[in-house]
Amino acid sequence: MSKSARPNPAERLCVAPASTGARAGAALAEDVARPLLETAAAAGIRRVTSRPAGDVERALGQAWPFPSPFRVDARTAPLAEGLDRVEARARRSLERMGLPRGETLLVSRAADLAGAEGRALWDRLEKLKAQGLYRRIGLCAGPEDDPELLGRRFAADVVRLPCNLLDQRALRSGALEALAVAGIEVQVSAVFAHGRLFSGGDAAVGQTPGLSRTRRRLAEARLDPMQAALGFGLSLPGAPVLVVSCASAAELRAMLAAVHASGRGPGPDWAEFALEPAAAGTLTDLATADAA
């Protein structure tokens, strides 16, 4: 196969734009979003995901390149706000982003589907899909939510669930592969373990058994944490989409360099870097970042 014919690993990425302030609930600036989207488009990335909280959607709506090459996913508002509000907010998401239709609408919390109004909530999503506002519908779930069962039960088009170098529960349980075999697109979130792989996550080291050991093993193997995180994600069965949160065009360029570098030569035994399941579960409890 010629070099030009090799697949572009960047096509596996789905960008979740968020400034540093936006991660703490502040607005995403247009002057951050625009170069970020331009960098993504130039790299061959065609997927972008938004969230209803904050001002991310409005900033995206003001920053799309023209013509835009992106397929855009959105997430629902909490069911606690009521079914009518969830539906109205899903419509409003498209308006805020300046889009006639979206790619995928995801239920933000699996617990919303498990409750008494779960089926009614899903019916609202199916209505929006039937009206052509979203091409696909799906859900976000954790390993503890039995994502394979939920995906099959609701005949979801897409399931998004966390899986990363530290928390490999979704891989070990077989959920990733089972969903892919069922014809359900898998999107992997929390690729960077909510920052716990990096020095910025030091506050969590003492609270998460094994985290210091994993960082030490990465250093001994001379593995850059970002390259390791993305290399692990690209190695997952079923070739899932990797949802990566980016704070700037510069940060995305660093990710792209790591993505391309990770494809050079065989990867290590990723299993040796995983935390034990109980410790991996604490990452979710400790995380303050967005699910993406």
Side-chain angles (χ1 to χ4, degrees), residues 10-35:
E11 295 177 356
R12 294 268 305 276
L13 302 184
C14 175
V15 172
S19 69
T20 301
R23 287 177 180 150
L28 172 64
E30 180 185 349
D31 60 357
V32 171
R34 189 178 301 279

Side-chain angles (χ1 to χ4, degrees), residues 70-270:
F70 299 114
R71 292 172 286 160
V72 185
D73 297 345
R75 291 181 9 213
T76 62
L79 180 57
E81 297 182 12
L83 288 168
D84 290 341
R85 170 64 176 166
V86 169
E87 180 179 341
R89 190 65 185 79
R91 296 176 184 274
R92 180 61 175 157
S93 289
L94 296 178
E95 294 175 6
R96 285 163 59 88
M97 291 188 288
L99 301 174
R101 65 189 60 84
E103 175 67 14
T104 311
L105 179 61
L106 298 164
V107 175
S108 292
R109 297 175 64 252
D112 287 346
L113 291 172
E117 292 188 293
R119 176 52 64 178
L121 171 61
W122 194 257
D123 288 345
R124 295 293 182 109
L125 269 65
E126 289 187 326
K127 172 185 173 182
L128 294 169
K129 179 180 177 180
Q131 292 174 345
L133 294 179
Y134 290 91
R135 194 174 74 83
R136 305 183 301 174
I137 54 178
L139 58 100
C140 300
E144 68 282 356
D145 295 315
D146 200 340
E148 180 191 356
L149 178 63
L150 279 176
R152 290 178 179 274
R153 175 186 172 191
F154 289 98
D157 299 309
V158 179
V159 171
R160 181 182 294 181
L161 69 167
C163 187
N164 53 66
L165 193 62
L166 299 178
D167 183 359
Q168 299 185 22
R169 289 175 295 165
L171 172 62
R172 291 178 172 179
S173 70
L176 293 176
E177 196 164 6
L179 287 165
V181 169
I184 299 172
E185 179 183 284
V186 178
Q187 297 184 358
V188 168
S189 63
V191 173
F192 301 115
H194 305 291
R196 300 308 187 241
L197 280 170
F198 307 102
S199 59
D202 283 338
V205 172
Q207 306 173 56
T208 306
L211 186 51
S212 295
R213 173 184 54 80
T214 296
R215 287 187 180 175
R216 185 171 60 254
R217 285 185 174 179
L218 285 171
E220 291 170 351
R222 297 184 178 179
L223 287 172
D224 172 75
M226 180 177 290
Q227 186 175 331
L230 291 166
F232 169 75
L234 291 171
S235 75
L236 291 171
V241 173
L242 306 183
V243 181
V244 294
S245 180
C246 296
S248 66
E251 186 171 294
L252 179 57
R253 285 193 291 270
M255 291 182 190
L256 290 167
V259 163
H260 289 287
S262 66
R264 300 170 189 163
D269 179 6
W270 298 118

